[in-house]
């Protein structure tokens, strides 16, 4: 069973930045669609961003467009989520997840189609 590991969470003030990392030890990630999801206290888990396995197509939730950027590392073994201009409503546990699907980008990036999940990293945005 593949194990994905998130890192980079922490406490940051509103307007600040964090960069989250997603890796699977010993595995290159360029053959996987990688999604970032988050779950705030008392809320359902929601999709944040996704990058496809071929072509590097990206998508973002409306709430983070223009503030968050997903990218693959040069060594292809890490996927990053750069989060800028953070807001208190971004407070959540952030999870990365993966699959190897080749259908529509919407399907590839859906929670229900993700096969592998990390345990999450907590991001707290507060003054």
């Amino acid at each position: 069973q593949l194990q994905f590991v998130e890192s980079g969470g922490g406490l940051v003030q509103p307007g600040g930045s964090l960069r989250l990392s997603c890796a699977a030890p010993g595995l290159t990630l360029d053959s996987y669609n990688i999604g970032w999801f988050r779950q705030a206290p008392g809320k359902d888990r929601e999709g944040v961003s996704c990058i496809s396995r071929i072509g590097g197509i990206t998508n973002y939730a409306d709430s983070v467009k223009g503030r968050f950027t997903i990218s693959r590392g040069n060594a292809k073994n890490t996927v990053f989520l750069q989060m800028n201009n953070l807001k208190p409503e971004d407070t959540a546990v952030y999870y990365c997840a993966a699959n190897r699907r080749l259908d529509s980008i919407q399907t590839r990036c859906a929670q229900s189609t993700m096969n592998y999940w990390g345990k999450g990293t907590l991001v707290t945005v507060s003054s």
Side-chain angles (χ1 to χ4, degrees), residues 7-119:
S7 61
L11 173 64
V12 63
Q13 292 186 342
S17 298
L18 284 175
R19 188 176 78 161
L20 304 184
S21 300
C22 172
L27 187 69
T28 56
L29 300 186
D30 55 344
S31 63
Y32 291 84
N33 303 301
I34 304 293
W36 282 98
F37 301 84
R38 68 185 181 186
Q39 187 166 22
K43 295 188 177 180
D44 293 335
R45 189 162 56 190
E46 63 177 358
V48 175
S49 183
C50 183
I51 187 165
S52 69
R53 59 178 285 199
I54 295 174
I57 301 168
T58 60
N59 68 6
Y60 298 91
D62 288 343
S63 59
V64 306
K65 280 181 182 176
R67 300 189 298 122
F68 290 11
T69 303
I70 191 170
S71 63
R72 293 187 184 271
N74 291 335
K76 308 299 184 186
N77 58 2
T78 307
V79 170
F80 300 105
L81 184 68
Q82 178 67 43
M83 306 187 297
N84 298 329
N85 190 22
L86 283 160
K87 304 176 180 180
E89 52 264 41
D90 295 318
T91 295
V93 177
Y94 284 72
Y95 301 88
C96 70
N99 64 41
R100 299 191 69 189
R101 300 177 71 102
L102 288 173
D103 36 20
S104 70
I105 190 65
Q106 290 80 7
T107 301
R108 294 194 220 182
C109 294
Q111 283 194 59
S112 59
T113 64
M114 293 295 171
N115 300 119
Y116 310 104
W117 289 84
K119 294 183 179 181

